[in-house]
Amino acid sequence: MPGHDLAIDIDRLRGRLDRLAEIGAIDGGGCCRLALSDDDRRGRDLVVGWMRELGLDVGIDAIGNIVGLRAGGTGGAPVMTGSHIDTVRTGGRYDGNLGVLAGLEVVEVLNTAGIETERPIAVAVFTNEEGARFAPDMMGSLVYAGGLDLDTALATEGIDGATVGDELRRIGYAGDLAPGHIRPHAFVELHIEQGPILEAEGVTIGAVENLQGISWQEVRITGQSNHAGTTPMRLRHDAGYCATAIGQFVRELAAGMGGDQVGTVGAIDLHPNLINVIAASAKVTVDLRNTDEAKLQEAERRFAEFLDELAEREGAAISSRSLARFEPVTFDAGIADTITGVAQALGHSTRRMTSGAGHDAQMMARLCPTAMIFTPSVGGISHNPAEHTEPADLAAGANVLLRTLLALARP
Ligand code: HGY
Ligand code: MN
Ligand code: MN
């Protein structure tokens, strides 16, 4: 098989990772490149420049997804890889970026070796994977896969009041191509695990075979502002108390359900947010996830019942709107087998895995056979500037991606 002795250049890959990490750099070695921000634009421009230097045919679609295409011998549907380069506000330098830049590294290895694969190879950068500024997460790949109407996505208002459409136009990435213009033969995403399992077990490569369900809600609470000193406790309609009670309930709900149930209150906004004023209103985000759809629905039902009881008890108006809702996804077992076989042939330890995080791959699985490759996260830390993956593990993941793509690119 051509390319059986090919290997990625880890210094070149780390050089691109470090260069991209300079854009939106924050203390501690991480990145803040919120989707469609000026830093996201600068990151996109850098990656598109690298794609063009590598001879890829670069296309940008109407939701800003970028696809770099490398021609193949037989033409037809490409084998696609990729991920995202937008980050959360306190992001690390590997989340998403590794999947995109390892894809470019694979292209450069093939170019240098003069190898033409049978099937074309594509590298994608999906818009707004994080959903931190504009919900839902995985927005670009969801539109690409036909799971969200383009106009609805473009009209989405972010946490800062801007809309996706306006920001795409402002940064110059409102492309002409129809999202989903290329239907891949297969999709493989390399990503850091962002959790503790691989490191704890001393395993190098995760072959990801499924991904848990995600439920995001925004809860709005309207109470009554009043004086913190003069208002008897029995007369209060305290939105601040309701917000903290929601955090307490979500923690106890997840602990009580056990298993794979997780729950997070990530954002709380109080108004007027002052020390001596009983909060008039509050906005709270709730992230519930479970590998089991029925259990995730049970968690949602119990949470909704709690909100009704809290509103009654506190004399507050409480409403909730869904920001994202994705059922658990099962990836392609055959590709997971290929990942496992390739990794073991390279001498790496492997294990099958479930992804706790959402990824663009979960949307691409709606279009074609899809799976993911995980590499260990030091301390299981992610969405944190301290996010780190050892160079040897970065190289292992990228080499497994190289070999997996080569295997899939053969007819
Ligand atoms: O929310 C997630 O799991 C991903 O980081 N967007
Ligand atoms: Mn990610
Ligand atoms: Mn992330």
Side-chain angles (χ1 to χ4, degrees):
M1 176 182 88
H4 66 281
D5 58 351
L6 287 179
I8 63 101
D9 179 330
I10 185 57
D11 293 333
R12 186 167 59 199
L13 173 56
R14 293 181 69 204
R16 287 199 171 108
L17 282 163
D18 292 347
R19 176 68 190 85
L20 181 54
E22 290 169 8
I23 299 176
I26 57 175
D27 290 347
C31 305
C32 174
R33 277 196 311 271
L34 290 178
L36 309 184
S37 61
D38 287 336
D39 280 329
D40 187 23
R41 174 183 54 78
R42 281 189 276 271
R44 286 164 169 262
D45 291 348
L46 181 67
V47 171
V48 167
W50 283 333
M51 286 183 165
R52 293 200 164 113
E53 284 170 13
L54 291 169
L56 297 181
D57 176 21
V58 179
I60 298 168
D61 72 18
I63 194 68
N65 295 317
I66 302 163
V67 178
L69 188 63
R70 183 178 193 266
T74 57
V79 175
M80 186 181 279
T81 188
S83 191
H84 62 95
I85 63 167
D86 66 298
T87 75
V88 295
R89 196 171 279 140
T90 55
R93 62 177 55 200
Y94 302 104
D95 177 359
N97 304 317
L98 174 61
V100 171
L101 299 183
L104 297 188
E105 176 58 27
V106 167
V107 168
E108 185 144 10
V109 169
L110 298 178
N111 288 355
T112 307
I115 290 178
E116 180 181 70
T117 52
E118 292 295 308
R119 296 186 190 281
I121 285 182
V123 183
V125 181
F126 292 108
T127 295
N128 185 32
E129 187 279 344
E130 292 294 358
R133 183 183 180 196
F134 304 100
D137 53 349
M138 289 75 70
M139 181 187 277
S141 49
L142 180 61
V143 172
Y144 192 96
L148 177 64
D149 168 67
L150 173 64
D151 290 340
T152 304
L154 294 174
T156 300
E157 190 175 303
I159 56 175
D160 52 11
T163 66
V164 168
D166 288 347
E167 287 293 274
L168 269 177
R169 282 183 290 275
R170 185 182 67 82
I171 68 169
Y173 277 89
D176 298 328
L177 295 172
H181 63 292
I182 295 177
R183 190 181 185 97
H185 168 71
F187 183 84
V188 181
E189 180 173 0
L190 169 64
H191 204 289
I192 54 172
E193 178 199 340
Q194 301 180 287
I197 296 169
L198 289 173
E199 182 186 60
E201 296 182 2
V203 173
T204 304
I205 297 292
V208 187
E209 56 189 358
N210 63 319
L211 187 149
Q212 68 179 345
I214 300 173
S215 165
W216 282 5
Q217 297 178 56
E218 178 188 84
V219 178
R220 288 182 180 267
I221 303 148
T222 305
Q224 183 186 55
S225 71
N226 213 326
H227 196 293
T230 60
T231 310
M233 296 310 286
R234 59 186 170 77
L235 297 181
R236 294 183 181 214
H237 309 288
D238 185 343
Y241 161 75
C242 290
T244 56
I246 287 169
Q248 180 78 18
F249 179 83
V250 166
R251 167 60 66 90
E252 289 167 358
L253 174 68
M257 290 185 68
D260 293 331
Q261 185 62 46
V262 291
T264 311
V265 167
I268 295 179
D269 294 314
L270 297 184
H271 177 73
N273 204 35
L274 297 173
I275 187 167
N276 58 352
V277 179
I278 297 168
S281 61
K283 192 168 64 174
V284 180
T285 64
V286 176
D287 179 323
L288 299 171
R289 306 194 195 198
N290 201 307
T291 54
D292 180 311
E293 174 62 15
K295 288 190 178 136
L296 185 54
Q297 288 181 20
E298 180 195 344
E300 289 173 317
R301 183 180 49 73
R302 288 167 63 178
F303 180 65
E305 288 169 359
F306 166 73
L307 291 184
D308 289 344
E309 183 270 324
L310 180 64
E312 174 74 26
R313 174 161 41 102
E314 196 59 26
I318 299 180
S319 63
S320 171
R321 73 182 176 105
S322 174
L323 295 178
R325 184 60 169 93
F326 304 123
E327 294 192 5
V329 170
T330 301
F331 289 133
D332 183 88
I335 296 181
D337 288 344
T338 300
I339 291 166
T340 301
V342 160
Q344 291 175 355
L346 287 169
H348 298 307
S349 52
T350 66
R351 74 165 346 255
R352 304 297 265 235
M353 292 192 80
T354 295
S355 176
H359 296 290
D360 293 309
Q362 76 185 86
M363 303 309 173
M364 297 307 287
R366 300 181 186 200
L367 293 180
C368 62
T370 295
M372 295 186 73
I373 305 163
F374 272 179
T375 56
S377 292
V378 171
I381 297 290
S382 185
H383 283 189
N384 181 316
E387 177 183 280
H388 184 67
T389 294
E390 297 298 343
D393 292 334
L394 295 173
N399 276 314
V400 171
L401 179 69
L402 168 64
R403 301 290 176 92
T404 302
L405 295 179
L406 279 173
L408 294 171
R410 284 199 310 273

PDB file of all heavy atoms in Angstrom, residues 374-399:
ATOM      1  N   PHE A 374      -9.431  10.127  19.236  1.00  0.00           N
ATOM      2  CA  PHE A 374      -9.112  10.950  20.402  1.00  0.00           C
ATOM      3  C   PHE A 374      -7.662  10.745  20.807  1.00  0.00           C
ATOM      4  O   PHE A 374      -7.140   9.614  20.741  1.00  0.00           O
ATOM      5  CB  PHE A 374      -9.990  10.557  21.602  1.00  0.00           C
ATOM      6  CG  PHE A 374     -11.317  11.270  21.685  1.00  0.00           C
ATOM      7  CD1 PHE A 374     -12.195  10.976  22.723  1.00  0.00           C
ATOM      8  CD2 PHE A 374     -11.705  12.218  20.757  1.00  0.00           C
ATOM      9  CE1 PHE A 374     -13.429  11.615  22.841  1.00  0.00           C
ATOM     10  CE2 PHE A 374     -12.940  12.868  20.853  1.00  0.00           C
ATOM     11  CZ  PHE A 374     -13.785  12.560  21.894  1.00  0.00           C
ATOM     12  N   THR A 375      -7.059  11.843  21.282  1.00  0.00           N
ATOM     13  CA  THR A 375      -5.744  11.754  21.926  1.00  0.00           C
ATOM     14  C   THR A 375      -5.894  12.280  23.361  1.00  0.00           C
ATOM     15  O   THR A 375      -6.792  13.066  23.651  1.00  0.00           O
ATOM     16  CB  THR A 375      -4.711  12.635  21.184  1.00  0.00           C
ATOM     17  OG1 THR A 375      -5.218  13.973  21.142  1.00  0.00           O
ATOM     18  CG2 THR A 375      -4.459  12.138  19.791  1.00  0.00           C
ATOM     19  N   PRO A 376      -4.989  11.851  24.254  1.00  0.00           N
ATOM     20  CA  PRO A 376      -5.154  12.179  25.682  1.00  0.00           C
ATOM     21  C   PRO A 376      -5.043  13.658  25.977  1.00  0.00           C
ATOM     22  O   PRO A 376      -4.301  14.390  25.322  1.00  0.00           O
ATOM     23  CB  PRO A 376      -3.996  11.421  26.349  1.00  0.00           C
ATOM     24  CG  PRO A 376      -3.581  10.382  25.373  1.00  0.00           C
ATOM     25  CD  PRO A 376      -3.850  10.953  24.017  1.00  0.00           C
ATOM     26  N   SER A 377      -5.802  14.099  26.969  1.00  0.00           N
ATOM     27  CA  SER A 377      -5.714  15.461  27.512  1.00  0.00           C
ATOM     28  C   SER A 377      -5.048  15.366  28.877  1.00  0.00           C
ATOM     29  O   SER A 377      -5.524  14.639  29.745  1.00  0.00           O
ATOM     30  CB  SER A 377      -7.109  16.078  27.665  1.00  0.00           C
ATOM     31  OG  SER A 377      -7.676  16.318  26.378  1.00  0.00           O
ATOM     32  N   VAL A 378      -3.973  16.111  29.054  1.00  0.00           N
ATOM     33  CA  VAL A 378      -3.250  16.081  30.338  1.00  0.00           C
ATOM     34  C   VAL A 378      -4.159  16.589  31.459  1.00  0.00           C
ATOM     35  O   VAL A 378      -4.757  17.671  31.354  1.00  0.00           O
ATOM     36  CB  VAL A 378      -1.967  16.932  30.262  1.00  0.00           C
ATOM     37  CG1 VAL A 378      -1.330  17.081  31.635  1.00  0.00           C
ATOM     38  CG2 VAL A 378      -0.979  16.325  29.269  1.00  0.00           C
ATOM     39  N   GLY A 379      -4.338  15.738  32.485  1.00  0.00           N
ATOM     40  CA  GLY A 379      -5.203  16.110  33.601  1.00  0.00           C
ATOM     41  C   GLY A 379      -6.664  16.160  33.220  1.00  0.00           C
ATOM     42  O   GLY A 379      -7.510  16.589  34.000  1.00  0.00           O
ATOM     43  N   GLY A 380      -6.990  15.737  32.001  1.00  0.00           N
ATOM     44  CA  GLY A 380      -8.377  15.757  31.551  1.00  0.00           C
ATOM     45  C   GLY A 380      -8.924  17.167  31.390  1.00  0.00           C
ATOM     46  O   GLY A 380     -10.131  17.369  31.304  1.00  0.00           O
ATOM     47  N   ILE A 381      -8.021  18.143  31.315  1.00  0.00           N
ATOM     48  CA  ILE A 381      -8.430  19.554  31.311  1.00  0.00           C
ATOM     49  C   ILE A 381      -8.716  20.054  29.893  1.00  0.00           C
ATOM     50  O   ILE A 381      -7.926  19.804  28.967  1.00  0.00           O
ATOM     51  CB  ILE A 381      -7.303  20.419  31.935  1.00  0.00           C
ATOM     52  CG1 ILE A 381      -7.081  20.040  33.396  1.00  0.00           C
ATOM     53  CG2 ILE A 381      -7.618  21.909  31.814  1.00  0.00           C
ATOM     54  CD1 ILE A 381      -8.206  20.437  34.319  1.00  0.00           C
ATOM     55  N   SER A 382      -9.807  20.778  29.725  1.00  0.00           N
ATOM     56  CA  SER A 382     -10.111  21.440  28.459  1.00  0.00           C
ATOM     57  C   SER A 382     -11.053  22.604  28.735  1.00  0.00           C
ATOM     58  O   SER A 382     -11.530  22.769  29.856  1.00  0.00           O
ATOM     59  CB  SER A 382     -10.752  20.454  27.481  1.00  0.00           C
ATOM     60  OG  SER A 382     -10.946  21.075  26.214  1.00  0.00           O
ATOM     61  N   HIS A 383     -11.289  23.420  27.677  1.00  0.00           N
ATOM     62  CA  HIS A 383     -12.034  24.676  27.883  1.00  0.00           C
ATOM     63  C   HIS A 383     -11.382  25.432  29.024  1.00  0.00           C
ATOM     64  O   HIS A 383     -12.033  25.975  29.904  1.00  0.00           O
ATOM     65  CB  HIS A 383     -13.522  24.388  28.151  1.00  0.00           C
ATOM     66  CG  HIS A 383     -14.268  24.046  26.894  1.00  0.00           C
ATOM     67  ND1 HIS A 383     -15.640  23.925  26.827  1.00  0.00           N
ATOM     68  CD2 HIS A 383     -13.828  23.778  25.641  1.00  0.00           C
ATOM     69  CE1 HIS A 383     -16.008  23.625  25.590  1.00  0.00           C
ATOM     70  NE2 HIS A 383     -14.924  23.521  24.860  1.00  0.00           N
ATOM     71  N   ASN A 384     -10.054  25.484  28.927  1.00  0.00           N
ATOM     72  CA  ASN A 384      -9.182  26.044  29.962  1.00  0.00           C
ATOM     73  C   ASN A 384      -7.829  26.301  29.295  1.00  0.00           C
ATOM     74  O   ASN A 384      -7.325  25.441  28.579  1.00  0.00           O
ATOM     75  CB  ASN A 384      -9.046  25.005  31.086  1.00  0.00           C
ATOM     76  CG  ASN A 384      -8.175  25.496  32.229  1.00  0.00           C
ATOM     77  OD1 ASN A 384      -7.111  26.088  31.993  1.00  0.00           O
ATOM     78  ND2 ASN A 384      -8.595  25.220  33.447  1.00  0.00           N
ATOM     79  N   PRO A 385      -7.219  27.485  29.517  1.00  0.00           N
ATOM     80  CA  PRO A 385      -5.938  27.768  28.845  1.00  0.00           C
ATOM     81  C   PRO A 385      -4.859  26.731  29.128  1.00  0.00           C
ATOM     82  O   PRO A 385      -3.938  26.556  28.339  1.00  0.00           O
ATOM     83  CB  PRO A 385      -5.536  29.136  29.427  1.00  0.00           C
ATOM     84  CG  PRO A 385      -6.792  29.737  29.921  1.00  0.00           C
ATOM     85  CD  PRO A 385      -7.677  28.612  30.354  1.00  0.00           C
ATOM     86  N   ALA A 386      -5.027  25.994  30.236  1.00  0.00           N
ATOM     87  CA  ALA A 386      -4.011  24.985  30.612  1.00  0.00           C
ATOM     88  C   ALA A 386      -4.156  23.700  29.796  1.00  0.00           C
ATOM     89  O   ALA A 386      -3.362  22.773  29.942  1.00  0.00           O
ATOM     90  CB  ALA A 386      -4.131  24.658  32.095  1.00  0.00           C
ATOM     91  N   GLU A 387      -5.164  23.640  28.907  1.00  0.00           N
ATOM     92  CA  GLU A 387      -5.367  22.441  28.063  1.00  0.00           C
ATOM     93  C   GLU A 387      -4.053  22.025  27.421  1.00  0.00           C
ATOM     94  O   GLU A 387      -3.350  22.867  26.834  1.00  0.00           O
ATOM     95  CB  GLU A 387      -6.369  22.811  26.983  1.00  0.00           C
ATOM     96  CG  GLU A 387      -6.723  21.800  25.941  1.00  0.00           C
ATOM     97  CD  GLU A 387      -7.686  22.424  24.930  1.00  0.00           C
ATOM     98  OE1 GLU A 387      -8.896  22.514  25.230  1.00  0.00           O
ATOM     99  OE2 GLU A 387      -7.226  22.853  23.855  1.00  0.00           O
ATOM    100  N   HIS A 388      -3.695  20.721  27.547  1.00  0.00           N
ATOM    101  CA  HIS A 388      -2.414  20.298  26.969  1.00  0.00           C
ATOM    102  C   HIS A 388      -2.483  18.848  26.531  1.00  0.00           C
ATOM    103  O   HIS A 388      -3.114  18.018  27.196  1.00  0.00           O
ATOM    104  CB  HIS A 388      -1.281  20.454  27.990  1.00  0.00           C
ATOM    105  CG  HIS A 388       0.068  20.117  27.416  1.00  0.00           C
ATOM    106  ND1 HIS A 388       0.676  20.875  26.435  1.00  0.00           N
ATOM    107  CD2 HIS A 388       0.903  19.063  27.643  1.00  0.00           C
ATOM    108  CE1 HIS A 388       1.836  20.331  26.101  1.00  0.00           C
ATOM    109  NE2 HIS A 388       1.998  19.222  26.816  1.00  0.00           N
ATOM    110  N   THR A 389      -1.799  18.584  25.390  1.00  0.00           N
ATOM    111  CA  THR A 389      -1.604  17.206  24.922  1.00  0.00           C
ATOM    112  C   THR A 389      -0.134  17.071  24.558  1.00  0.00           C
ATOM    113  O   THR A 389       0.434  17.949  23.907  1.00  0.00           O
ATOM    114  CB  THR A 389      -2.511  16.903  23.702  1.00  0.00           C
ATOM    115  OG1 THR A 389      -3.884  16.951  24.123  1.00  0.00           O
ATOM    116  CG2 THR A 389      -2.213  15.537  23.110  1.00  0.00           C
ATOM    117  N   GLU A 390       0.491  15.994  25.026  1.00  0.00           N
ATOM    118  CA  GLU A 390       1.935  15.835  24.812  1.00  0.00           C
ATOM    119  C   GLU A 390       2.264  15.699  23.319  1.00  0.00           C
ATOM    120  O   GLU A 390       1.487  15.062  22.578  1.00  0.00           O
ATOM    121  CB  GLU A 390       2.445  14.602  25.568  1.00  0.00           C
ATOM    122  CG  GLU A 390       2.310  14.684  27.087  1.00  0.00           C
ATOM    123  CD  GLU A 390       3.132  15.843  27.699  1.00  0.00           C
ATOM    124  OE1 GLU A 390       4.043  16.384  27.015  1.00  0.00           O
ATOM    125  OE2 GLU A 390       2.832  16.232  28.833  1.00  0.00           O
ATOM    126  N   PRO A 391       3.401  16.231  22.891  1.00  0.00           N
ATOM    127  CA  PRO A 391       3.775  16.144  21.473  1.00  0.00           C
ATOM    128  C   PRO A 391       3.726  14.718  20.919  1.00  0.00           C
ATOM    129  O   PRO A 391       3.256  14.506  19.794  1.00  0.00           O
ATOM    130  CB  PRO A 391       5.198  16.705  21.465  1.00  0.00           C
ATOM    131  CG  PRO A 391       5.230  17.656  22.623  1.00  0.00           C
ATOM    132  CD  PRO A 391       4.360  17.028  23.679  1.00  0.00           C
ATOM    133  N   ALA A 392       4.168  13.752  21.707  1.00  0.00           N
ATOM    134  CA  ALA A 392       4.148  12.366  21.217  1.00  0.00           C
ATOM    135  C   ALA A 392       2.716  11.914  20.939  1.00  0.00           C
ATOM    136  O   ALA A 392       2.447  11.166  19.985  1.00  0.00           O
ATOM    137  CB  ALA A 392       4.803  11.436  22.234  1.00  0.00           C
ATOM    138  N   ASP A 393       1.777  12.392  21.748  1.00  0.00           N
ATOM    139  CA  ASP A 393       0.372  12.007  21.540  1.00  0.00           C
ATOM    140  C   ASP A 393      -0.238  12.774  20.376  1.00  0.00           C
ATOM    141  O   ASP A 393      -1.069  12.236  19.629  1.00  0.00           O
ATOM    142  CB  ASP A 393      -0.427  12.255  22.830  1.00  0.00           C
ATOM    143  CG  ASP A 393      -0.019  11.310  23.958  1.00  0.00           C
ATOM    144  OD1 ASP A 393       0.467  10.189  23.639  1.00  0.00           O
ATOM    145  OD2 ASP A 393      -0.172  11.688  25.135  1.00  0.00           O
ATOM    146  N   LEU A 394       0.188  14.022  20.202  1.00  0.00           N
ATOM    147  CA  LEU A 394      -0.253  14.782  19.014  1.00  0.00           C
ATOM    148  C   LEU A 394       0.199  14.044  17.755  1.00  0.00           C
ATOM    149  O   LEU A 394      -0.566  13.857  16.800  1.00  0.00           O
ATOM    150  CB  LEU A 394       0.338  16.194  19.015  1.00  0.00           C
ATOM    151  CG  LEU A 394      -0.084  17.147  20.132  1.00  0.00           C
ATOM    152  CD1 LEU A 394       0.736  18.432  20.067  1.00  0.00           C
ATOM    153  CD2 LEU A 394      -1.577  17.464  20.064  1.00  0.00           C
ATOM    154  N   ALA A 395       1.464  13.603  17.771  1.00  0.00           N
ATOM    155  CA  ALA A 395       2.022  12.903  16.601  1.00  0.00           C
ATOM    156  C   ALA A 395       1.294  11.583  16.371  1.00  0.00           C
ATOM    157  O   ALA A 395       0.932  11.245  15.234  1.00  0.00           O
ATOM    158  CB  ALA A 395       3.521  12.656  16.802  1.00  0.00           C
ATOM    159  N   ALA A 396       1.017  10.877  17.456  1.00  0.00           N
ATOM    160  CA  ALA A 396       0.309   9.594  17.328  1.00  0.00           C
ATOM    161  C   ALA A 396      -1.053   9.806  16.676  1.00  0.00           C
ATOM    162  O   ALA A 396      -1.428   9.110  15.725  1.00  0.00           O
ATOM    163  CB  ALA A 396       0.156   8.936  18.694  1.00  0.00           C
ATOM    164  N   GLY A 397      -1.782  10.805  17.181  1.00  0.00           N
ATOM    165  CA  GLY A 397      -3.114  11.068  16.632  1.00  0.00           C
ATOM    166  C   GLY A 397      -3.065  11.462  15.173  1.00  0.00           C
ATOM    167  O   GLY A 397      -3.840  10.965  14.343  1.00  0.00           O
ATOM    168  N   ALA A 398      -2.098  12.310  14.821  1.00  0.00           N
ATOM    169  CA  ALA A 398      -2.001  12.771  13.422  1.00  0.00           C
ATOM    170  C   ALA A 398      -1.561  11.642  12.495  1.00  0.00           C
ATOM    171  O   ALA A 398      -2.052  11.534  11.361  1.00  0.00           O
ATOM    172  CB  ALA A 398      -1.037  13.953  13.336  1.00  0.00           C
ATOM    173  N   ASN A 399      -0.681  10.775  12.976  1.00  0.00           N
ATOM    174  CA  ASN A 399      -0.270   9.630  12.142  1.00  0.00           C
ATOM    175  C   ASN A 399      -1.406   8.630  11.963  1.00  0.00           C
ATOM    176  O   ASN A 399      -1.575   8.055  10.875  1.00  0.00           O
ATOM    177  CB  ASN A 399       0.952   8.935  12.747  1.00  0.00           C
ATOM    178  CG  ASN A 399       2.250   9.635  12.345  1.00  0.00           C
ATOM    179  OD1 ASN A 399       2.447   9.961  11.165  1.00  0.00           O
ATOM    180  ND2 ASN A 399       3.108   9.872  13.324  1.00  0.00           N
TER     181      ASN A 399
END
